[in-house]
Amino acid sequence: MAEQYKIGEFLIDLSRNQITQDTKPQIIPPKALAVLTYLAKHQGKVISQDELLDTVWKGTVVSPNTLQRSIAQLRKALGDDGKEQTYIKTHAKQGYSLEQNVLWLSKEEQRPISVQAHISTNSNTETKSDNTEQIRKPQSLNKYISSILTLIVATLITSYTFLAKPSKPFSIGQIRALTATDGKELASIYSPDGKYIIFHRYSEEECINDIWAKNLETQQEHKLSKNMDIYGQHRFSKDGKKLIVIRTIDCGEPITQKKCYQLMSLDFEAALNRPQQMDLILECKNSEIRRPYWLNNDNIALMQRQTENWQLVSYSIEDNKSKVIHDGFVYHYDYLAKDDLLAITSIKENSQYYIDIIKPDGELLSSHPIQLPSEIKGYRFIRPNFSPIDNTLIFSTGRQLFAMSFEGEIQNISIPVDEPFSSPMFHPDGDRGIVIKGVYDSDVISFDLSEKEVTSKVIQRSNTAENSAVFQPAGEYIAFESERTGDEQVWLTNQTKTFQLSHFPLDSYIYGMKWSADGENILVGANSTLFHFTLDKLQTEIKTNLPILSLLHWDTTKNSALVFVQLNGFIKLAEVGLNTGNIDVLTDERVNWATKTDNGEVVYTDHMDRFWISRGMEFQPIQALEKQGGDNKRFIVRNNIIFGLNNQYELWRYDLNTNEFEIIHKLSKNIDNITDIKNQQLLVTKRQVANKEVVELLLEK
């Protein structure tokens, strides 16, 4: 089929997803163009909605509303107001038809889009009925020269178009900071009227935050929350008078979870005058809730997890009842109040990402698999938000920005940033958006536990993140992760020589490094894959049948690894055979961290931070460590001794052979994790700075 055809004065170019008039191309979603092309192939004939849906969206579940949106996009591009219906005509209860004649162009007739558009609209051509040739009418010399010059310019532009990348849905014109403190600002949104940004200001010392507002015109800041606490994401009511926010507290008597979650409301208008106490709307003691959105129907949408599976629910404050509106494995969603739509990113069969568009009552409008491009490495958890462009979402992977259509098609957007940033939230006017931008700075520190007075020493330090350091067995090297070159890479140091071992691509992420028993090789978990490195930098990728989320332990005798895998949205503790790639799930419990003992026993902490060990045919609790599990903190096992860090930042050890427990030393609150121990030398990750600021992206018009 021809890649170009004409409908009246419009040129349709399927290779570029463009409709052009008067040398002005418009980018059209591929599905909408597919609808137009199918109608063009059956010009003058009424095509039913079912036939269009079955043809264009074959193999996917969509509602008639999806087709109607595509028709509306086409009418807008063709200048058809939908009333006169000059181009696309609606036939009540029957379908649609294309009313204008279609001219299909052969390969010889197809020309670069801007040249062809110029000729067909500006050069007074006559087209013969048999389409054999075009005849130019006489014109003055000045007009002729002008026409030739215009044609040359158009040709140059078109040549560039062929060489350049496809047109972006929009581009970033300017980046400017909205907050600039020594603290950490997070979770920023605009107020519904666009006059304020609302954000969290986080205290590193107390590990809690409060909620602030900033007037974008006067630059005045207002503290909104009366008390600092652990506050999550916040959203406005439709009228902009109230905020809702999730507060996290310790459960008084934990039964199924350690933390309880409260949905709170705040009087925004009153808080602009002085900080306000919050009102409790709802408390969850046996489930986790996050990401609240106040819907147009006055219900509140929430992600809720009772076991492992996150669902999307709609909660009615008036009735104090909730209803599940999406029961897939939801890991992100966004709400567009203007169109009353929810965009849900979920994981379905075979660990496939999907983008689902639904109404607040749960009506499914469309469901499409997301095809991740090569620029997105591994099994990346993407979090797309609505953008100012119709039927388009936007998300960040750290240093890259991507646009995604409702059909799951992704396009890279270039953006000049030197630090990682979050997915944008857009201003009500659609001409700008805000992101959280900044760096995390941590160092590798060692503690000497052999002396009565525990002393520390800096192993690796830069102005960015160094962490997850592990000792080389029977050697002098330490392997660690570092972002000093801009991306996460594996580095080696022996205190006199430091060099980079890996060269992973942009926006890579590393979750775990383990030495072989002889210290000659390193196994790395990166980009949902396992990589084997020798010390001369030889790299081999190990194929597995499930995505690897974290590497926890390497058993070089059995040539197997203890890992976290992603199984249809669920994170499972598993063992993978490195020769075969086969994966064996070890437990259905929710696991925070795990490793193996010298005897090959698996030790893990569950979501309640309780310790378990594999003994006999099942996992058994380690009663002596019931109160010693820190909130999601890691632990290590060496010589059958468990070393851990509790919530009081007390370093402890527990001997699995003698069952002896001992508190060793109290560490500072900026110790993120302990990572390895060798000859009484303990390696830890020490947080120095976690600078985050609110930044505004101004879109080019």
Side-chain angles (χ1 to χ4, degrees):
M1 186 186 73
E3 290 191 344
Q4 291 182 5
Y5 60 94
K6 289 183 178 180
I7 301 175
E9 59 185 3
F10 292 91
L11 176 67
I12 290 82
D13 190 329
L14 301 178
S15 65
R16 294 185 183 86
N17 298 324
Q18 289 181 352
I19 294 179
T20 300
Q21 180 192 33
D22 293 334
T23 72
K24 297 177 181 178
Q26 301 178 66
I27 303 297
I28 306 298
K31 294 297 185 184
L33 273 187
V35 170
L36 181 61
T37 303
Y38 193 77
L39 292 174
K41 290 170 64 177
H42 301 83
Q43 188 273 332
K45 181 181 176 182
V46 179
I47 306 298
S48 69
Q49 288 191 11
D50 289 342
E51 184 175 347
L52 285 168
L53 290 169
D54 291 343
T55 302
V56 177
W57 286 273
K58 185 177 181 180
T60 57
V61 179
V62 295
S63 75
N65 288 344
T66 303
L67 173 59
Q68 292 162 12
R69 283 200 303 274
S70 293
I71 295 293
Q73 290 171 336
L74 293 171
R75 283 176 171 158
K76 182 178 180 181
L78 297 170
D80 202 344
D81 62 8
K83 295 180 180 179
E84 294 184 2
Q85 299 185 355
T86 306
Y87 289 86
I88 300 175
K89 184 176 181 180
T90 300
H91 301 265
K93 298 183 180 180
Q94 296 182 59
Y96 302 95
S97 66
L98 182 64
E99 297 299 298
Q100 296 291 322
N101 290 330
V102 180
L103 179 62
W104 301 94
L105 303 183
S106 65
K107 288 185 178 180
E108 293 75 17
E109 294 169 321
Q110 292 181 29
R111 303 185 184 183
I113 189 164
S114 47
V115 175
Q116 183 135 353
H118 170 76
I119 292 175
S120 63
T121 58
N122 293 329
S123 58
N124 293 325
T125 60
E126 289 182 354
T127 304
K128 288 189 175 183
S129 59
D130 61 359
N131 195 36
T132 56
E133 61 177 343
Q134 292 180 332
I135 304 173
R136 182 179 301 276
K137 290 185 177 181
Q139 51 189 319
S140 69
L141 180 60
N142 288 338
K143 288 184 178 180
Y144 180 77
I145 294 174
S146 176
S147 178
I148 292 297
L149 290 174
T150 305
L151 181 59
I152 292 172
V153 172
T155 304
L156 291 173
I157 293 173
T158 304
S159 299
Y160 175 78
T161 302
F162 274 118
L163 295 173
K165 294 181 179 180
S167 301
K168 306 296 188 229
F170 57 78
S171 58
I172 308 300
Q174 184 183 347
I175 302 175
R176 64 184 184 192
L178 296 182
T179 62
T181 69
D182 292 331
K184 183 164 65 173
E185 283 83 24
L186 301 169
S188 59
I189 61 171
Y190 289 103
S191 60
D193 59 11
K195 294 181 179 180
Y196 295 88
I197 59 166
I198 319 300
F199 57 92
H200 292 167
R201 183 159 281 156
Y202 183 82
S203 168
E204 290 284 355
E205 292 183 1
E206 302 297 329
C207 298
I208 53 179
N209 59 285
D210 46 22
I211 304 175
W212 287 72
K214 183 171 185 174
N215 188 310
L216 295 176
E217 182 177 346
T218 66
Q219 301 301 305
Q220 184 179 359
E221 291 188 350
H222 307 265
K223 186 176 182 294
L224 304 180
S225 53
K226 187 173 183 179
N227 302 313
M228 295 190 73
D229 217 316
I230 303 176
Y231 297 120
Q233 292 165 314
H234 44 255
R235 292 293 184 269
F236 274 96
S237 58
K238 186 178 180 181
D239 59 12
K241 293 182 178 181
K242 289 186 177 182
L243 279 168
I244 48 173
V245 64
I246 303 294
R247 177 185 179 221
T248 303
I249 62 173
D250 290 324
C251 290
E253 297 180 0
I255 299 175
T256 61
Q257 58 190 36
K258 289 180 67 175
K259 302 294 182 181
C260 290
Y261 302 87
Q262 297 177 332
L263 178 64
M264 315 289 290
S265 71
L266 175 74
D267 188 325
F268 177 65
E269 293 182 331
L272 288 176
N273 295 317
R274 62 178 182 181
Q276 296 292 303
Q277 196 79 33
M278 296 191 186
D279 296 322
L280 177 64
I281 299 175
L282 169 74
E283 183 171 19
C284 293
K285 297 182 178 181
N286 296 298
S287 66
E288 184 177 349
I289 55 175
R290 66 169 59 163
R291 201 170 176 79
Y293 257 111
W294 219 314
L295 304 174
N296 288 345
N297 61 10
D298 287 332
N299 283 7
I300 295 174
L302 293 158
M303 289 175 60
Q304 183 181 33
R305 178 170 71 175
Q306 292 180 314
T307 53
E308 286 187 273
N309 192 23
W310 285 96
Q311 297 177 320
L312 188 63
V313 302
S314 176
Y315 172 71
S316 169
I317 300 177
E318 183 179 352
D319 299 331
N320 192 27
K321 291 182 180 179
S322 64
K323 169 190 173 184
V324 176
I325 56 176
H326 194 292
D327 60 358
F329 195 103
V330 178
Y331 68 85
H332 183 80
Y333 83 100
D334 197 37
Y335 177 60
L336 184 62
K338 177 175 68 72
D339 296 335
D340 205 26
L341 293 178
L342 294 148
I344 301 169
T345 317
S346 62
I347 304 171
K348 299 185 181 180
E349 62 278 359
N350 299 321
S351 298
Q352 174 68 55
Y353 288 103
Y354 271 77
I355 180 68
D356 296 341
I357 307 299
I358 72 170
K359 300 292 286 184
D361 62 0
E363 177 190 355
L364 180 65
L365 302 181
S366 66
S367 178
H368 294 278
I370 299 173
Q371 303 301 327
L372 297 180
S374 59
E375 299 102 309
I376 301 178
K377 302 302 177 185
Y379 197 83
R380 197 74 179 236
F381 287 93
I382 60 174
R383 293 172 171 82
N385 297 329
F386 282 102
S387 80
I389 308 300
D390 288 343
N391 302 323
T392 303
L393 304 160
I394 191 168
F395 65 90
S396 167
T397 55
R399 296 178 191 272
Q400 298 180 93
L401 197 62
F402 295 88
M404 182 172 71
S405 71
F406 285 5
E407 286 77 31
E409 298 159 340
I410 294 177
Q411 188 177 8
N412 200 327
I413 304 171
S414 60
I415 179 172
V417 295
D418 58 346
E419 296 175 351
F421 60 96
S422 62
S423 299
M425 300 291 290
F426 285 92
H427 190 275
D429 292 342
D431 59 351
R432 49 200 153 130
I434 44 179
V435 300
I436 303 299
K437 175 176 171 284
V439 295
Y440 172 81
D441 181 9
S442 60
D443 298 335
V444 174
I445 307 292
S446 72
F447 285 93
D448 187 350
L449 305 181
S450 62
E451 303 292 333
K452 188 172 183 180
E453 289 292 329
V454 176
T455 58
S456 64
K457 175 184 177 182
V458 176
I459 302 299
Q460 283 295 311
R461 171 178 289 172
S462 73
N463 60 358
T464 185
E466 273 82 29
N467 53 65
S468 303
V470 284
F471 286 110
Q472 179 188 27
E476 59 182 2
Y477 278 108
I478 295 174
F480 64 98
E481 299 172 23
S482 177
E483 296 181 15
R484 60 184 63 185
T485 58
D487 289 289
E488 288 189 7
Q489 302 292 346
V490 179
W491 288 70
L492 296 180
T493 184
N494 62 359
Q495 299 299 288
T496 59
K497 177 185 177 183
T498 300
F499 62 93
Q500 182 177 336
L501 183 66
S502 70
H503 291 86
F504 293 121
L506 179 68
D507 267 352
S508 290
Y509 55 98
I510 298 173
Y511 286 114
M513 299 179 300
K514 301 298 173 185
W515 288 91
S516 60
D518 59 9
E520 296 297 320
N521 303 273
I522 298 177
L523 189 64
V524 179
N527 301 329
S528 306
T529 307
L530 293 176
F531 294 91
H532 178 271
F533 287 88
T534 61
L535 295 187
D536 58 5
K537 303 184 182 181
L538 180 64
Q539 171 185 319
T540 305
E541 181 178 347
I542 298 173
K543 301 292 185 180
T544 57
N545 53 16
L546 286 175
I548 306 295
L549 301 184
S550 293
L551 170 63
L552 308 171
H553 183 270
W554 184 14
D555 187 335
T556 50
T557 303
K558 295 173 57 179
N559 202 24
S560 66
L562 194 66
V563 294
F564 284 139
V565 298
Q566 197 282 124
L567 178 62
N568 296 334
F570 298 99
I571 299 175
K572 297 293 185 182
L573 177 64
E575 191 160 22
V576 55
L578 301 181
N579 293 327
T580 64
N582 293 333
I583 291 174
D584 181 24
V585 175
L586 301 182
T587 178
D588 286 329
E589 297 296 324
R590 286 167 54 188
V591 176
N592 283 343
W593 192 252
T595 188
K596 279 190 174 183
T597 68
D598 298 341
N599 301 330
E601 299 168 315
V602 176
V603 179
Y604 75 80
T605 50
D606 63 13
H607 71 288
M608 298 276 283
D609 292 317
R610 297 171 298 198
F611 280 83
W612 299 78
I613 187 169
S614 58
R615 293 270 170 88
M617 298 179 62
E618 61 184 9
F619 286 96
Q620 300 177 10
I622 304 178
Q623 300 291 351
L625 301 180
E626 185 174 350
K627 302 289 186 180
Q628 299 304 320
D631 292 337
N632 294 316
K633 286 184 170 60
R634 302 178 184 181
F635 60 90
I636 53 180
V637 178
R638 291 293 179 271
N639 301 319
N640 280 339
I641 298 176
I642 304 176
F643 295 85
L645 193 64
N646 60 28
N647 282 336
Q648 288 72 47
Y649 290 88
E650 294 173 327
L651 176 68
W652 53 262
R653 61 184 165 203
Y654 176 72
D655 194 319
L656 289 167
N657 297 323
T658 64
N659 297 326
E660 294 179 353
F661 175 84
E662 179 187 4
I663 299 291
I664 304 173
H665 183 63
K666 185 159 185 174
L667 303 179
S668 60
K669 288 186 177 181
N670 61 348
I671 300 299
D672 280 348
N673 274 303
I674 60 174
T675 60
D676 202 3
I677 191 168
K678 178 183 177 182
N679 300 328
Q680 296 297 302
Q681 297 296 312
L682 178 74
L683 292 178
V684 305
T685 299
K686 183 178 182 180
R687 183 176 67 257
Q688 298 295 346
V689 177
N691 280 335
K692 299 288 182 180
E693 60 179 334
V694 183
V695 173
E696 193 166 46
L697 309 177
L698 303 182
L699 306 186
E700 286 187 342
K701 297 182 179 180

